[in-house]
Amino acid sequence: ALRTEERQRLARERREEREKQHAAKETQILEKERKAKLQYEKQLEERQRKLKEQKQKEEQRRAAVEEKRKQKIEEEKERYEAVMHRTLERNQRLETRQKRWSWGGSVTPDSESKTALLYTASKRSTSTANLKQTEAVMNKRLSSSAALLNTPDRTRRSQLSPLDSSIISRLLAPTQASLARSKSAAMLSAD
């Protein structure tokens, strides 16, 4: 009976020991699972944080590129407007100078320009009278010189009368007004 009791006690102790070991193993497994779950959640949070940061950086980069593009468009617009403004100013100066050197005198005539206008008007009337005289002579000779137009230049000049030659050379020679206009246009283009 003592041996049976002893065997039962030993069997009970072994069973309790096995249960303890089994419980310890289960606790270890549960602890490992808990740690793995925590690590997975931590990794997931880290990944989400990195994705969020990357998205923010991408948005900032896009915003910077868009801002730079808008700034470039604005600069090009300002440059274009400046070029247009300079061109308009240059054209206005050119028109003003051309009007100043034209037959009509300056744009806003003062006393000096009025006298200049009178002088040019008187010159114009004398030149108009001269033109009418030469026009009559030229009309007579146009019919005969029309045939000369198809002939070579040297032949044409040799066949013209001295009066015709002087009229043609006078017409071909630049006037003082045209020389002054050419000079002002050259000065404008140099500016």
Side-chain angles (χ1 to χ4, degrees):
L2 281 173
R3 278 185 181 178
T4 308
E5 282 179 16
E6 185 68 26
R7 273 189 223 152
Q8 286 176 350
R9 188 179 62 80
L10 285 173
R12 201 179 324 130
E13 284 178 1
R14 282 196 295 268
R15 197 170 46 247
E16 286 174 358
E17 188 65 33
R18 274 198 305 271
E19 285 175 1
K20 280 181 184 177
Q21 285 176 357
H22 185 68
K25 278 183 182 178
E26 285 230 358
T27 308
Q28 282 179 352
I29 289 169
L30 287 172
E31 185 65 25
K32 279 183 182 179
E33 284 178 358
R34 190 183 68 81
K35 281 183 179 179
K37 191 177 177 182
L38 282 173
Q39 191 173 1
Y40 173 75
E41 286 173 357
K42 194 176 180 182
Q43 284 176 349
L44 195 65
E45 284 176 8
E46 186 70 22
R47 195 176 300 146
Q48 285 176 346
R49 187 182 62 80
K50 283 183 179 178
L51 283 171
K52 194 176 178 182
E53 284 178 2
Q54 192 174 358
K55 194 176 178 182
Q56 283 178 345
K57 283 181 182 177
E58 187 68 25
E59 285 175 1
Q60 287 174 350
R61 189 184 66 79
R62 275 197 203 126
V65 166
E66 185 65 24
E67 185 64 31
K68 201 171 185 181
R69 188 182 68 81
K70 283 181 182 176
Q71 191 175 1
K72 194 174 181 181
I73 288 171
E74 191 65 31
E75 285 173 1
E76 286 177 2
K77 187 179 173 185
E78 286 174 5
R79 197 177 307 126
Y80 175 75
E81 286 175 357
V83 167
M84 289 299 291
H85 185 69
R86 282 198 302 269
T87 306
L88 285 173
E89 281 182 352
R90 196 177 300 134
N91 287 344
Q92 286 174 351
R93 282 200 307 264
L94 182 66
E95 285 175 12
T96 307
R97 287 185 184 177
Q98 283 177 346
K99 285 177 184 175
R100 198 180 302 153
W101 286 102
S102 70
W103 288 96
S106 65
V107 182
T108 55
D110 53 359
S111 59
E112 290 178 12
S113 61
K114 282 178 185 174
T115 56
L117 278 170
L118 289 171
Y119 175 70
T120 53
S122 64
K123 280 192 89 172
R124 216 185 289 166
S125 63
T126 55
S127 63
T128 308
N130 289 341
L131 277 174
K132 283 179 182 174
Q133 289 174 357
T134 53
E135 192 177 295
V137 175
M138 288 300 287
N139 282 337
K140 289 176 185 175
R141 299 183 188 274
L142 270 177
S143 57
S144 62
S145 27
L148 294 174
L149 286 174
N150 295 329
T151 60
D153 200 30
R154 289 180 186 171
T155 317
R156 235 184 287 154
R157 286 188 186 161
S158 64
Q159 291 176 1
L160 290 175
S161 67
L163 179 63
D164 289 340
S165 298
S166 67
I167 290 171
I168 288 174
S169 63
R170 220 175 116 204
L171 288 172
L172 289 174
T175 61
Q176 288 182 348
S178 67
L179 287 173
R181 280 196 295 275
S182 301
K183 188 176 179 182
S184 67
M187 285 171 49
L188 280 175
S189 62
D191 287 346

